[in-house]
Amino acid sequence: MMLKGRTIMKRKTVLILALTAALVSITTQAAQEQHFSIAGYRIGPYAAGGSGQASGLEDYLQLINLRDGGVNGVKLSWTECETEYIVERGVECYERTKKNATTFNPFSVGIAYGVIDRATADKIPVITPNHGRTDSTDGRVFPYIFPVILNPWSEASAIINYLAQRAGGPDKLKGKKIVTLYHGSPYGKETIPIFALLAKQYGFENIQIEVPHPGNEQQSQWLNIRRIKPDWVILRGWGVMNPVALKTAQKTGFPTDRIIGNVWSNSEEDAEPAGQAAKGYISATTHPSGSHFPVLQDIKRHVYGANKGKIEPQRVGSIYYNMGVLDGILHVEAVRVAQKKFGQRALTGDELRWGWEHIAIDDKRLDELGASGLLQPIKLTCDDHEGGGAVKFQQWDGKQWKVISDWIQADRKLLRPLIEASAEKYAKEKNIKPRDCSKE
Amino acid sequence: MDFFLEVLTGGLLAGLMYSLVAIGFVLIYKASGVFNFAQGSMVLFAALTFVSLLERGVPFWVSFAITLLAMIVLAWAIERIVLRPLVNRPPITLFMATLGLSYIIEGLAQALWGAQVHGLDLGISDEPLEVGGMLLSQFDLFAAATAGALVLVLSLLFNKTRIGISLRAVADDQLAALAVGIKLQRIWMVVWAVAGFVGLVAGLLWGARLGVQFSLSLVVLKALPVLIIGGFTSIGGAIAGGLIIGASEKLAEVYLGPMIGGGIENWFPYVLALLFLLVRPAGIFGERAIERV
């Protein structure tokens, strides 16, 4: 009886030890993975943008795992939520996934705004390439928010610089009429003050016209535009608003090649549904479309070759997809940079924040990454969380985008004092003491 | 003055596009007293099915026929699975059922065909026509003619055919219709199938204008004030309501918008609809409910 009891005890001890060992093994494995949280949207009204970006990001991370065995042996992993672009779901996604996450990717201005305070408290970097809150460029006040590559104000400035180039110089903008047709949302309204400032600087007439969400009816706005007879229309749209704008411009007789789309009105999904009405349409982009870049070829070979791709293969190389790939490149670069300082292991969110703030990708590095011509050289610092600030312009030929300009830089010197003033106002409201970046 | 007329005409033509969606609501409400919130999802489902077939190389009219068949099957399934078990339930229960149905159809459409944006070219030019100094959209004129043809066909169906007379009988008094041997379930199935056909036509026209994408299901938001103003039981009312909403929202956006910050096109029709509700709750052509108390 005693013997039987001892045997049972032994078995129990062995079982507990085995379970503990398994648990430790799982925890260690998890600790050896660099984990990211992605708030995607593959269904709903903005699925084209959400599915393209999330897939580009995840496919690049998968490429690093499959081709390189991770970053210095540390595997990359991620959790993707389905938010349908709804802010509450995005915030819920953040809360659900934050335990293991070392970055959060909202893919939405609304969701980004919703998690700023939470992510700052949790020390998790929030990555908002080409979107987000403009003044979060000031890393002194927003240490964990990264509107990398291009913030909305830089985008507005770069578009005006392009129009100045087309006119023959900034002084030639004087007296021109420029209409901005914007989406009736915080995203759409983000650039209203900056266009007012640029109009004052260059002397053009600045006319802002709102299109109520979702933008599936724009007859009155375009009739107004026809009456105004502007030299240019800047389209600051999103989703269905973009093809409807192009179609309505055509039926009200406004020339398509005088419309300049912003970086969220520049995808194949914006131009294709408009058919012939989109031919000649120009838009700004931080990256060209196309899958001929070596990094894209590697994704096709290693990820899609292994049947592990996240999207229909024909969408690899689209504007939205390539945006996600750029996001992936920056994520991996941040991990590499941070590993050099903190060691070749899975890093915490705060350590990774340091990595993001020390990303420096020059032409040589772009070449090594297989992304020459896909991404602009970029350098992030403690007080500059944007880093790039340039766009190229592309024109729709009826079937695909053709790049028609070199990199056009935003006037970042003009914008910086405004960004700092806005960030400092925020810091005052929230009782935040800005960091001293000389000590970082 | 020319500009005013241009805005007005553009608004009237846009309003007819709203009417196309509103007619689908009217059909179902007339025959069953159900406010079918899923009409927008049916528009999306029809357009997505059609364009997906077209992209797979199926000829235009074959795609149209297959999609129509799919809409009939959908109508049959809705009648069998959702409506039949809910017979004699209060209207709010049926409304909630169609609300749920709306999400199910949206999900089903995206699960079957994906959430990608598709272009749809019906071969109708959208180059503007200049008439008396005004620019008119050829596509909008075509859509207006389609709406007119649809009203004519539906009027003939309701007034000149046996099935139409049964539909009217059910609309007037379901119990009396049952008493004279009209099969309520069959009528509901037919009316949902006709609403599916109207959804298909609306889906093609709206899809050609917006691109076939999820946002198509949001066009119902434009149809609601049309129904409040025109009345829930009149196809003619849906046309009149569409014209009133289309014209007034465009004129308001252009002339009133700049005074109050712009972007009023979405909510102004609802202001108008609320005013109508206060003065004429059944809408212009709607049937007034007369009850013995």
Side-chain angles (χ1 to χ4, degrees):
Chain A
M1 195 66 186
M2 229 7 208
L3 200 68
K4 204 177 171 185
R6 272 187 195 162
T7 315
I8 291 169
M9 279 283 282
K10 264 187 187 171
R11 277 185 190 161
K12 271 188 179 172
T13 314
V14 169
L15 195 65
I16 289 166
L17 282 173
L19 281 172
T20 313
L23 203 64
V24 168
S25 154
I26 290 166
T27 319
T28 314
Q29 197 185 358
Q32 278 312 308
E33 283 182 355
Q34 193 72 49
H35 194 77
F36 308 113
S37 171
I38 297 167
Y41 33 98
R42 291 177 188 269
I43 55 170
Y46 303 110
S51 58
Q53 290 179 85
S55 300
L57 169 58
E58 290 169 25
D59 283 350
Y60 185 80
L61 301 178
Q62 189 68 273
L63 171 71
I64 298 302
N65 283 342
L66 294 174
R67 188 190 62 189
D68 307 341
V71 184
N72 296 313
V74 177
K75 288 271 186 180
L76 307 174
S77 63
W78 56 91
T79 305
E80 183 185 332
C81 312
E82 175 57 57
T83 68
E84 286 192 54
Y85 199 67
I86 297 169
V87 174
E88 304 88 276
R89 285 204 199 171
V91 174
E92 184 272 327
C93 169
Y94 170 82
E95 287 297 334
R96 180 155 45 91
T97 57
K98 72 179 186 185
K99 194 177 169 203
N100 296 317
T102 53
T103 67
F104 179 68
N105 295 270
F107 295 135
S108 146
V109 176
I111 298 172
Y113 269 72
V115 300
I116 285 177
D117 291 347
R118 294 162 195 258
T120 304
D122 297 331
K123 299 187 173 176
I124 297 174
V126 176
I127 314 303
T128 57
N130 288 8
H131 67 285
R133 189 179 167 126
T134 301
D135 57 7
S136 64
T137 300
D138 188 346
R140 297 172 309 138
V141 176
F142 296 91
Y144 294 93
I145 314 298
F146 289 84
V148 285
I149 308 176
L150 184 78
N151 69 43
W153 291 2
S154 289
E155 175 195 80
S157 165
I159 291 175
I160 294 300
N161 287 348
Y162 173 69
L163 297 185
Q165 196 185 77
R166 290 280 303 258
D171 55 314
K172 301 283 193 307
L173 284 179
K174 196 166 185 188
K176 298 261 187 233
K177 282 184 187 174
I178 300 176
V179 164
T180 304
L181 191 69
Y182 65 90
H183 191 260
S185 63
Y187 144 73
K189 293 172 185 176
E190 179 86 15
T191 52
I192 291 176
I194 233 55
F195 278 116
L197 175 87
L198 294 167
K200 212 169 161 188
Q201 170 110 347
Y202 297 113
F204 62 84
E205 192 180 339
N206 166 39
I207 303 142
Q208 300 281 322
I209 298 179
E210 180 177 335
V211 173
H213 165 82
N216 53 16
E217 185 53 50
Q218 298 174 31
Q219 179 90 0
S220 42
Q221 286 83 359
W222 282 96
L223 283 175
N224 241 340
I225 287 170
R226 199 159 79 86
R227 186 167 59 158
I228 293 163
K229 293 191 177 69
D231 295 283
W232 295 98
V233 171
I234 296 170
L235 177 59
R236 201 171 156 69
W238 180 223
V240 69
M241 175 181 158
N242 294 320
V244 173
L246 296 173
K247 285 212 153 197
T248 318
Q250 185 194 44
K251 75 179 183 188
T252 51
F254 190 83
T256 312
D257 62 358
R258 307 300 283 181
I259 305 173
I260 309 280
N262 80 331
V263 295
W264 297 108
S265 310
N266 71 353
S267 70
E268 291 80 358
E269 287 84 351
D270 296 316
E272 269 168 3
Q276 283 304 300
K279 203 171 174 185
Y281 169 53
I282 299 168
S283 66
T285 186
T286 50
H287 54 279
S289 57
S291 59
H292 56 282
F293 303 99
V295 62
L296 271 294
Q297 288 297 315
D298 273 1
I299 287 175
K300 279 187 168 179
R301 193 176 313 122
H302 294 281
V303 180
Y304 286 82
N307 226 4
K308 291 197 168 176
K310 297 292 289 186
I311 203 168
E312 303 91 322
Q314 65 272 21
R315 290 184 66 197
V316 171
S318 68
I319 285 284
Y320 282 138
Y321 183 89
N322 286 1
M323 177 76 248
V325 172
L326 298 193
D327 200 0
I329 289 174
L330 293 173
H331 267 78
V332 172
E333 206 62 7
V335 173
R336 280 204 184 103
V337 170
Q339 278 186 355
K340 277 184 192 158
K341 180 177 167 74
F342 300 105
Q344 293 179 1
R345 56 173 172 79
L347 305 158
T348 64
D350 196 35
E351 288 167 342
L352 201 54
R353 188 261 313 153
W354 189 92
W356 278 93
E357 287 184 339
H358 291 81
I359 285 177
I361 302 178
D362 56 12
D363 286 325
K364 185 171 165 280
R365 182 68 186 137
L366 282 174
D367 206 31
E368 289 164 3
L369 291 166
S372 279
L374 182 64
L375 173 65
Q376 58 191 285
I378 184 166
K379 187 175 188 309
L380 298 175
T381 62
C382 162
D383 60 9
D384 177 13
H385 281 193
E386 181 190 29
V391 290
K392 283 186 179 182
F393 288 81
Q394 55 182 5
Q395 191 162 31
W396 185 253
D397 70 0
K399 284 185 179 157
Q400 58 184 340
W401 292 107
K402 292 269 165 67
V403 174
I404 56 167
S405 83
D406 206 347
W407 290 111
I408 308 265
Q409 188 67 49
D411 191 348
R412 299 187 75 209
K413 273 188 187 158
L414 174 77
L415 301 176
R416 184 69 197 184
L418 297 169
I419 288 170
E420 284 182 5
S422 177
E424 279 159 14
K425 191 175 161 216
Y426 176 86
K428 215 171 175 183
E429 280 167 17
K430 297 273 179 176
N431 214 13
I432 296 168
K433 189 175 175 235
R435 287 187 294 167
D436 180 355
C437 279
S438 64
K439 291 178 184 162
E440 287 286 324
Chain B
M1 191 61 190
D2 279 355
F3 182 68
F4 173 83
L5 285 175
E6 200 165 56
V7 175
L8 179 68
T9 316
L12 292 171
L13 291 173
L16 286 172
M17 290 284 284
Y18 307 157
S19 300
L20 274 175
V21 184
I23 288 170
F25 283 93
V26 170
L27 283 171
I28 291 173
Y29 192 83
K30 248 175 105 74
S32 56
V34 176
F35 179 79
N36 175 28
F37 198 81
Q39 188 65 29
S41 308
M42 286 165 68
V43 170
L44 170 70
F45 182 85
L48 207 51
T49 305
F50 176 83
V51 81
S52 300
L53 290 170
L54 211 58
E55 284 177 357
R56 283 163 176 77
V58 181
F60 186 95
W61 288 110
V62 179
S63 299
F64 190 89
I66 295 174
T67 309
L68 190 55
L69 194 67
M71 297 311 288
I72 292 170
V73 171
L74 185 69
W76 175 83
I78 290 170
E79 194 281 314
R80 272 295 167 103
I81 301 165
V82 183
L83 298 180
R84 200 175 284 193
L86 294 177
V87 167
N88 285 335
R89 299 278 178 185
I92 188 68
T93 307
L94 288 161
F95 171 71
M96 294 310 284
T98 65
L99 191 65
L101 201 57
S102 166
Y103 286 100
I104 292 168
I105 296 172
E106 270 173 21
L108 186 71
Q110 292 180 91
L112 271 176
W113 304 115
Q116 259 299 87
V117 182
H118 306 263
L120 176 59
D121 185 3
L122 297 177
I124 306 151
S125 168
D126 214 0
E127 292 290 334
L129 275 179
E130 195 166 341
V131 181
M134 282 193 304
L135 289 184
L136 292 179
S137 157
Q138 291 183 51
F139 184 87
D140 284 356
L141 290 172
F142 175 82
T146 306
L150 209 57
V151 170
L152 196 69
V153 169
L154 290 173
S155 302
L156 288 173
L157 175 78
F158 272 98
N159 296 312
K160 303 286 179 193
T161 66
R162 197 173 171 79
I163 193 103
I165 293 164
S166 304
L167 281 169
R168 282 164 60 203
V170 171
D172 275 351
D173 189 332
Q174 288 185 7
L175 283 177
L178 277 170
V180 295
I182 293 172
K183 288 183 178 165
L184 197 58
Q185 279 83 8
R186 187 165 156 259
I187 293 298
W188 278 4
M189 210 287 255
V190 169
V191 91
W192 275 76
V194 176
F197 167 71
V198 173
L200 172 58
V201 174
L204 296 191
L205 290 171
W206 274 98
R209 176 183 261 193
L210 309 181
V212 176
Q213 54 182 306
F214 183 88
S215 299
L216 274 181
S217 66
L218 302 178
V219 297
V220 290
L221 299 175
K222 290 284 185 186
L224 294 182
V226 170
L227 290 165
I228 294 170
I229 290 177
F232 283 80
T233 52
S234 164
I235 291 171
I239 297 287
L243 292 171
I244 292 170
I245 288 293
S248 57
E249 72 172 17
K250 303 295 176 228
L251 291 170
E253 180 69 50
V254 170
Y255 293 104
L256 203 59
M259 290 181 226
I260 49 177
I264 67 171
E265 206 169 343
N266 267 7
W267 55 264
F268 184 81
Y270 285 90
V271 173
L272 210 61
L274 274 174
L275 292 174
F276 255 85
L277 272 179
L278 296 176
V279 182
R280 201 176 164 85
I284 302 173
F285 295 98
E287 289 163 14
R288 281 188 190 184
I290 300 168
E291 286 175 14
R292 192 188 295 272
V293 286

